[in-house]
Amino acid sequence: MSNEISLLDPSKHADLKVSKPDFSQVADEHILPITLHEFSRAATEYPIVFVKNSETGKFQSVVMLGLKPEQNLSVVNGEWVGSYIPNAVKDYPFAVVLNAEQPDKIWIGIREQSKQVGTDAGEPLFKEGEETPFFNQRRESIVQHFEEEQASQSILQFLAEKELFRQQTLTVTVKGEQRNINGLYMVDEAKLNDLSDDDFLDLKKRGLLGPIYGHLTSLHQVNRLARTEMLSE
């Protein structure tokens, strides 16, 4: 997805419109970020795993949309054929813009180069200098998703401090070919079960047991991806 984001301005973008989603921009994305708030829905369809930023050391939860790089089995001819669409995809072409000098404020930006953005067709963002109901609804969803992402980052850091993540190679067989998918992290179920009663109760109080077990259960969806790949060829 394009990362060139312009801060939305009613005077500059008075005529801007956003048309129906075109998912071709993520057709070659085999993983996409999700928040812990999405686990219960995403886990019914996709494997949920974690990746680690080698520079910052921070963990990010992601859904696997394919079993090899540049493969998204949920996008066909620009249409999303899966039943669950990650928030990161639904928010496109909008994005949150932050200012280090005003950390308490959230602005909304837009990717003007997106095929969904123009002045001819689609839903207008502004009318007579004011936000339209369409844009107001999108803005509220984007802010909510951003807040959920911030909360997820804090929780993942907590899980990392408890040393609950372990790196693991995921092995899957497609048409007799064995593939090893590297660079993935998962919750170590053995360490989870070995937590002290106090630490386990802490996880429960934080509402983390549901997402954790949702992640572990979702790993069985790897086989669904393998079947989908075979049927798509």
Side-chain angles (χ1 to χ4, degrees):
M1 292 189 287
S2 171
N3 290 319
E4 296 181 14
I5 301 170
S6 302
L7 183 64
L8 275 169
D9 183 340
S11 59
K12 179 182 177 182
H13 302 112
D15 300 324
L16 215 58
K17 298 178 180 179
V18 173
S19 59
K20 177 184 175 182
D22 178 349
F23 298 104
S24 58
Q25 79 273 358
V26 292
D28 59 354
E29 302 286 346
H30 71 294
I31 61 171
L32 283 172
I34 63 169
T35 67
L36 271 69
H37 302 75
E38 299 178 77
F39 275 30
S40 61
R41 291 163 291 171
T44 64
E45 187 172 8
Y46 303 111
I48 299 172
V49 294
F50 305 90
V51 294
K52 186 178 182 180
N53 187 309
S54 58
E55 296 181 0
T56 65
K58 290 184 178 181
F59 287 91
Q60 171 71 62
S61 48
V62 298
V63 286
M64 293 178 59
L65 305 169
L67 297 174
K68 55 187 177 182
E70 300 185 2
Q71 179 193 63
N72 187 337
L73 297 169
S74 287
V75 176
V76 178
N77 298 324
E79 297 290 333
W80 192 277
V81 297
S83 61
Y84 181 70
I85 304 176
N87 290 339
V89 177
K90 288 189 287 189
D91 289 343
Y92 188 87
F94 299 99
V96 164
V97 178
L98 300 176
N99 186 333
E101 297 180 358
Q102 296 177 291
D104 296 332
K105 288 191 175 182
I106 296 175
W107 286 271
I108 303 299
I110 194 166
R111 296 173 175 86
E112 294 185 70
Q113 303 305 313
S114 167
K115 291 189 290 186
Q116 293 176 235
V117 179
T119 57
D120 296 327
E123 295 282 354
L125 303 184
F126 302 100
K127 184 176 181 180
E128 298 178 355
E130 300 292 331
E131 292 183 5
T132 62
F134 166 78
F135 179 44
N136 183 61
Q137 183 180 36
R138 292 294 298 269
R139 178 174 55 78
E140 290 181 356
S141 294
I142 292 163
V143 171
Q144 178 183 337
H145 297 160
F146 172 75
E147 292 173 345
E148 291 175 351
E149 193 275 334
Q150 294 298 297
S152 293
Q153 283 296 321
S154 176
I155 292 170
L156 293 180
Q157 182 178 347
F158 172 76
L159 295 179
E161 290 170 356
K162 295 296 182 182
E163 299 183 343
L164 288 178
F165 291 121
R166 65 182 171 91
Q167 191 170 16
Q168 181 174 331
T169 297
L170 198 60
T171 302
V172 60
T173 301
V174 183
K175 287 188 176 181
E177 172 198 356
Q178 182 173 295
R179 292 185 199 164
N180 294 321
I181 306 173
N182 303 308
L184 305 179
Y185 288 80
M186 300 168 197
V187 169
D188 190 325
E189 196 167 2
K191 285 189 175 181
L192 178 66
N193 293 330
D194 286 341
L195 286 176
S196 67
D197 290 345
D198 288 341
D199 281 344
F200 194 83
L201 183 59
D202 192 14
L203 290 180
K204 180 180 178 181
K205 288 180 177 179
R206 291 170 181 261
L208 298 182
L209 294 183
I212 287 174
Y213 287 121
H215 147 66
L216 293 172
T217 302
S218 78
L219 299 178
H220 296 293
Q221 301 294 349
V222 169
N223 295 323
R224 187 196 65 81
L225 287 181
R227 291 194 301 270
T228 302
E229 179 178 334
M230 287 189 291
L231 292 173
S232 66
E233 293 179 349

